[in-house]
Amino acid sequence: MTADALLTQFDQELFAYLHREQPRSETFRRMVSDHMAWRSWDDGEPTTAQARGKRVRPLLALLTARAIAGDHRGAMPAAIAVQLVHDFSIILDDIMDRDRMRRNRPALWVSYGTGHAMTAAAGLYVIGLDALQESLDEARPHVEARALTRTLLDSCLEMAEAQHVDLDWERRLDMTLDQVEAVALGRSCLLRCGIELAAAVSTPDRGVRAAFREFGALLATAFSVIDDFRGLWGSEERNGKPLRSDIRRHKKTYPIVVGHLRSTPAARRRLRALLADPEPGDAEIAAIMELLDEADAGGATLHEVARLSRRAVETLHGPPLARFVVSELVELTETLFGGLAGSAPSLSQGGST
């Protein structure tokens, strides 16, 4: 089964699961179908081929289970849980950041109001936690119910902590790159979580599960950092939201911090002054981008993505994972990062995930 076929099956299972839940509120059903880009609540076909987003989190979970056990079906409930919790998080992110577009469509809070959007996010979170119970119901005897639930809850807390730090950093520029990468991992830790859950339901071998967790952490960090790059130098159409909105929101993403660290003292002072502007306009943003380009912040960011993605692939090929068929995970890693895992990148290699 190809990755596309796997995702088609996942979308069918997700649609069926949400309909088994049968939420009573017509508003909630309409909002969920809009967020999922279904033609309607009763029709799970997408409105456009690209409308549903990347579905990277469930795909990684299903491919991990297939690599370990030769069958992805045991990880389907975990994949659904991780996707729904991710949907919960991005609805709230759009509200907090006042992002008006998501996947080239109006964000849920724009269409329905903040209160309805927050309520819908909470509903998806609860349904996502409940979906994980199906992993417990269908799990093999080696699976510890508390540990499985704890894995997902810990990731939710990690996401929340990353969001707190992101907000705290809006008026600061004294963080290290290690700190930035820790927050980057927190933002995308559901990627690692899906891999970790899939490994947990697929094998009792704790060494294998730990190695897949390490792979997931490297992949998630690289995913966040490349997303930071594309937020500044990417395409609005492919990103699904306005370019350089991170600067307008005073986010201290990897390219901004690495550009600051690589700048000359004079350029650093200028960059700090521009970033401190409470409402930067187009001229200020253009000046910030010029300073980042002079410091080759984009190239440094892509080099770090290449390093992280290479380490992720090395983890898959090393013990104790070398005995598994991991070619699909390697291929997906290389697809996500545009071939960066194999060579030092140039700016032209950036593209949408």
Side-chain angles (χ1 to χ4, degrees):
M1 181 181 290
T2 65
D4 285 345
L6 201 58
L7 283 182
T8 297
Q9 185 182 64
F10 169 79
D11 281 327
Q12 292 168 348
E13 293 281 349
L14 176 64
F15 181 81
Y17 172 73
L18 285 169
H19 282 69
R20 287 201 303 275
E21 291 291 314
Q22 283 299 328
R24 289 188 291 270
S25 166
E26 173 61 30
T27 300
F28 182 70
R29 292 198 296 268
R30 188 169 64 252
M31 292 178 73
V32 169
S33 61
D34 281 358
H35 179 72
M36 297 295 178
W38 295 337
R39 289 191 294 212
S40 71
W41 173 254
D42 294 318
D43 185 346
E45 290 300 311
T47 53
T48 66
Q50 294 79 31
R52 283 177 173 166
K54 298 175 285 288
R55 293 287 199 257
V56 175
R57 290 153 190 84
L59 181 58
L60 282 164
L62 297 175
L63 291 180
T64 296
R66 194 148 75 178
I68 297 171
D71 190 346
H72 64 272
R73 288 173 294 182
M76 188 65 77
I80 290 173
V82 167
Q83 179 61 44
L84 291 177
V85 172
H86 171 61
D87 287 321
F88 146 80
S89 72
I90 62 176
I91 292 170
L92 289 188
D93 279 349
D94 287 343
I95 294 171
M96 293 177 64
D97 295 337
R98 310 311 287 174
D99 278 339
R100 302 186 63 85
M101 298 296 292
R102 169 67 61 175
R103 299 168 187 158
N104 295 309
R105 304 193 309 275
L108 217 58
W109 70 270
V110 173
S111 297
Y112 293 91
T114 300
H116 276 307
M118 291 176 66
T119 304
L124 286 173
Y125 177 77
V126 172
I127 294 172
L129 292 181
D130 189 51
L132 189 61
Q133 302 309 304
E134 294 198 15
S135 287
L136 306 179
D137 295 341
E138 300 173 6
R140 297 169 178 83
H142 71 266
V143 177
E144 301 172 16
R146 175 63 176 165
L148 207 63
T149 304
R150 190 72 252 171
T151 296
L152 182 55
L153 294 178
D154 283 347
S155 293
C156 292
L157 291 172
E158 191 174 347
M159 277 196 302
E161 176 64 21
Q163 188 67 264
H164 282 304
V165 176
D166 253 346
L167 292 169
D168 289 341
W169 282 356
E170 287 183 2
R171 294 293 178 262
R172 292 174 49 195
L173 195 50
D174 59 351
M175 59 290 300
T176 67
L177 289 178
D178 285 344
Q179 290 173 320
V180 173
E181 289 199 359
V183 172
L185 170 57
R187 289 201 309 263
S188 292
C189 66
L190 286 176
L191 286 161
R192 184 199 63 210
C193 181
I195 292 167
E196 195 172 2
L197 290 173
V201 301
S202 300
T203 178
D205 190 322
R206 293 186 181 276
V208 169
R209 287 153 61 173
F212 270 110
R213 176 182 168 84
E214 180 183 359
F215 163 70
L218 290 164
L219 192 81
T221 307
F223 190 87
S224 262
V225 174
I226 195 69
D227 197 49
D228 291 346
F229 171 86
R230 288 168 180 145
L232 298 183
W233 290 280
S235 156
E236 285 194 9
E237 181 179 359
R238 298 183 73 179
N239 290 348
K241 56 185 180 180
L243 202 60
R244 294 160 193 164
S245 59
D246 286 340
I247 296 177
R248 296 185 188 278
R249 298 196 310 266
H250 303 95
K251 298 294 183 183
K252 301 309 187 298
T253 60
Y254 190 95
I256 291 172
V257 176
V258 77
H260 176 256
L261 293 173
R262 289 167 61 96
S263 293
T264 65
R268 193 176 300 172
R269 288 192 294 272
R270 174 67 173 149
L271 185 59
R272 282 200 299 266
L274 288 164
L275 291 169
D277 190 318
E279 294 185 8
D282 291 344
E284 289 76 20
I285 290 174
I288 290 169
M289 293 302 300
E290 183 177 350
L291 289 168
L292 293 178
D293 286 339
E294 287 175 0
D296 194 21
T301 300
L302 288 179
H303 273 284
E304 180 60 8
V305 172
R307 186 187 72 84
L308 290 166
S309 56
R310 279 197 299 268
R311 284 187 58 199
V313 171
E314 288 166 3
T315 301
L316 289 174
H317 288 316
L321 304 186
R323 68 179 186 267
F324 298 112
V325 179
V326 296
S327 54
E328 289 178 313
L329 287 168
V330 172
E331 181 179 351
L332 179 56
T333 301
E334 293 174 345
T335 298
L336 286 173
F337 305 113
L340 299 182
S343 61
S346 64
L347 287 173
S348 64
Q349 289 176 284
S352 175
T353 57

